[in-house]
Amino acid sequence: MGTAGRTDTAGTEGARDPAGPAGAAGPAGRDEVFQVEGHGIDPIPDAERHGGAKDLFWLWFGSNLTFTYVINGALAVSFGLAFWQATLVVVLGGLSFFVISAAGLSGVRTGTATLVISRAAFGVRGNWPAGLLNWVVSIGYTIVNTVVGTLALEAFLADLGWSGGRIPRALALAVTLALTFAVALWGHATVQWAERWMAYVLAVGFAALLVFVLPGTDTAAPAAAAPGPSGWSLALVVMLAGPFSYVPMPADYTRYLPRTTSLKALTWSGGLGGLVSSVALGIAGVAAATQADMTDAVAGTEGLLPGWFQPLFLALVLGGSVTNSIITLYSSSLNLQVLGIPWSRVRAILISAAVTAAGSLGALFLADFTTSLLSFLSLLIIVFAPWGGVFLADMVLRRCTYDSAALHAGADGAYWYRAGWHPAGLVALLAGMLFAALTCDSELWTGPLVAPLGGADLSLLGAVVSAAVHVLLARRTTRPLPPVPSD
């Protein structure tokens, strides 16, 4: 992407976002562990930047040490893939983290959050609908992770002899929410610290899980017929949907890094972190699915483990759920500021936490809520694959150089375009969404092209379609900013 273009070392430190007071930092102070972060989506001044690209390894490694990838690996086998076929899909999904990590360069260049930077692609107003949906998705996945962690902790309490009734489940929910909320509330430095230290513990535990699960793996091809286009495409959608859901987040965790941080260092550090954890756990799920019924993935995996390790396994499920929920909950508070909530990041996170708590209560105490929520979230790939395609294509066209002050300037800035809407980005988004809708195969919607394609779900290619259309429409008007003249 070339060398850094025009950066805004002057004039942005006190920039106010059109969202109102939410754009102001308040009493910022230093970004330190166990101190409440004062900054929100306002640009991080150079004097307060710190850390290095290696920090991203632990962020993406720790946050993806989650049992979700075990479930995803098992699903690939359920779609008809043999062990090595499913393993290939797991690895392809893991490699996508290098793209996610590279997108974090936008945070280094601008010092602000991803969903502020995407105003350059869609316009200030055009960015709002996807921003709202992204908040919904972030909260939805936080609820799902919270529920998984709560059920694991409830099972752990049952092993200790406390089972039955709603009190153990309510207590497990309270503990899971408290662990997630406390870290996210403190903010950026504490999030990174917690992800690193929880990664140390979880990595040891999940390594032991692999030792117990892998030896019994049946690598022979399944008796069923070849998976065909449907099985391959569904497995790829499952594996890539997780990493792709992070596209609206990477700058949230790179905005404090010094401007001198390189693209190469960012890409390798963060990409390797996400790759190692997601692939290791995905393969564990594939291996488990060749040995046990994984309809209930937690119970199926637990049955493959020695009795003494089963309580530790439940603790691993809880810890992995919390590490993943922390970063989604933290980003959701920045997201609300982008949407114009006139509160600081700390107060905005209270909204996200309250909605997460309410949704988790519904999922745990109302019958079919979790199934309905997962079906709804799976359908949103129709929006977020094309959104990611436009954002990434726009970033490449600009060589990741932005007028950072204009990102926060509203109608007075360069990214206002036509009444706040960027036609090229929005047309590209709609084109990608149309393609994704036509080729999506989910529980709530099956596109008319799925059957002619042999049952293949090509909705993720909506990202490729939207990226191509955006390049065609915007390549003549979207240019990298010239470099800042040296003094």
Side-chain angles (χ1 to χ4, degrees), residues 31-32 35 37 50 183-193 252-257 330 345:
D31 180 42
E32 296 181 351
Q35 291 189 15
E37 177 191 4
H50 61 89
V183 175
L185 179 67
W186 267 314
H188 175 267
T190 309
V191 167
Q192 292 205 321
W193 178 88
D252 302 1
Y253 304 100
T254 59
R255 70 195 204 280
Y256 277 93
L257 293 178
Y330 174 81
R345 183 199 64 84

Side-chain angles (χ1 to χ4, degrees), residues 136-448:
V136 171
V137 169
S138 296
I139 295 301
Y141 280 116
T142 305
I143 291 171
V144 171
N145 277 319
T146 299
V147 169
V148 171
T150 298
L151 294 176
L153 182 54
E154 182 185 24
F156 181 81
L157 293 174
D159 287 343
L160 296 179
W162 189 11
S163 61
R166 296 192 171 192
I167 294 179
R169 176 169 292 190
L171 176 62
L173 173 60
V175 171
T176 305
L177 286 171
L179 290 172
T180 304
F181 174 72
V183 175
L185 179 67
W186 267 314
H188 175 267
T190 309
V191 167
Q192 292 205 321
W193 178 88
E195 294 291 347
R196 175 189 289 264
W197 284 99
M198 292 178 75
Y200 293 156
V201 176
L202 292 174
V204 173
F206 278 118
L209 174 70
L210 284 167
V211 169
F212 293 129
V213 171
L214 289 181
T217 304
D218 180 6
T219 58
S230 176
W232 280 102
S233 65
L234 288 172
L236 281 168
V237 166
V238 166
M239 294 301 172
L240 291 171
F244 224 85
S245 68
Y246 291 122
V247 173
M249 296 185 192
D252 302 1
Y253 304 100
T254 59
R255 70 195 204 280
Y256 277 93
L257 293 178
R259 294 183 192 273
T260 54
T261 307
S262 71
L263 171 62
K264 181 179 179 181
L266 279 176
T267 303
W268 277 101
S269 294
L272 192 61
L275 172 73
V276 171
S277 52
S278 65
V279 168
L281 297 187
I283 291 175
V286 174
T290 68
Q291 307 170 62
D293 179 4
M294 294 291 282
T295 305
D296 181 339
V298 173
T301 305
E302 192 176 13
L304 300 174
L305 304 174
W308 65 266
F309 189 75
Q310 290 176 6
L312 296 177
F313 165 69
L314 295 173
L316 289 176
V317 176
L318 169 62
S321 298
V322 169
T323 60
N324 195 261
S325 292
I326 285 170
I327 67 168
T328 54
L329 187 60
Y330 174 81
S331 287
S332 73
S333 65
L334 301 178
N335 195 330
L336 285 177
Q337 291 188 309
V338 176
L339 294 175
I341 298 297
W343 283 3
S344 66
R345 183 199 64 84
V346 173
R347 296 181 68 188
I349 206 169
L350 295 173
I351 299 177
S352 294
V355 176
T356 298
S360 300
L361 284 169
L364 289 164
F365 295 103
L366 297 177
D368 300 323
F369 183 90
T370 303
T371 300
S372 300
L373 178 62
L374 286 170
S375 298
F376 171 67
L377 292 174
S378 68
L379 190 62
L380 288 181
I381 194 69
I382 292 175
V383 176
F384 282 100
W387 185 93
V390 175
F391 174 76
L392 294 172
D394 189 77
M395 189 176 72
V396 172
L397 285 175
R398 299 177 190 279
R399 296 188 182 179
C400 206
T401 61
Y402 300 88
D403 182 343
S404 296
L407 290 171
H408 299 267
D412 298 324
Y415 303 123
W416 188 250
Y417 301 112
R418 297 183 182 178
W421 305 82
H422 188 201
L426 294 170
V427 169
L429 176 63
L430 291 173
M433 288 175 60
L434 176 62
F435 178 88
L438 292 173
T439 58
C440 176
D441 184 13
S442 72
E443 291 187 18
L444 296 181
W445 167 259
T446 299

Side-chain angles (χ1 to χ4, degrees), residues 74-146:
L75 282 173
V77 175
S78 73
F79 295 144
L81 272 65
F83 175 82
W84 292 112
Q85 293 172 327
T87 297
L88 173 62
V89 174
V90 168
V91 172
L92 291 175
L95 289 172
S96 65
F97 276 102
F98 286 96
V99 177
I100 305 303
S101 189
L105 184 63
S106 59
V108 173
R109 295 280 176 83
T110 63
T112 193
T114 305
L115 281 167
V116 175
I117 299 165
S118 60
R119 290 169 175 169
F122 300 100
V124 175
R125 287 176 172 167
N127 190 55
W128 199 91
L132 177 61
L133 284 175
N134 179 70
W135 181 78
V136 171
V137 169
S138 296
I139 295 301
Y141 280 116
T142 305
I143 291 171
V144 171
N145 277 319
T146 299

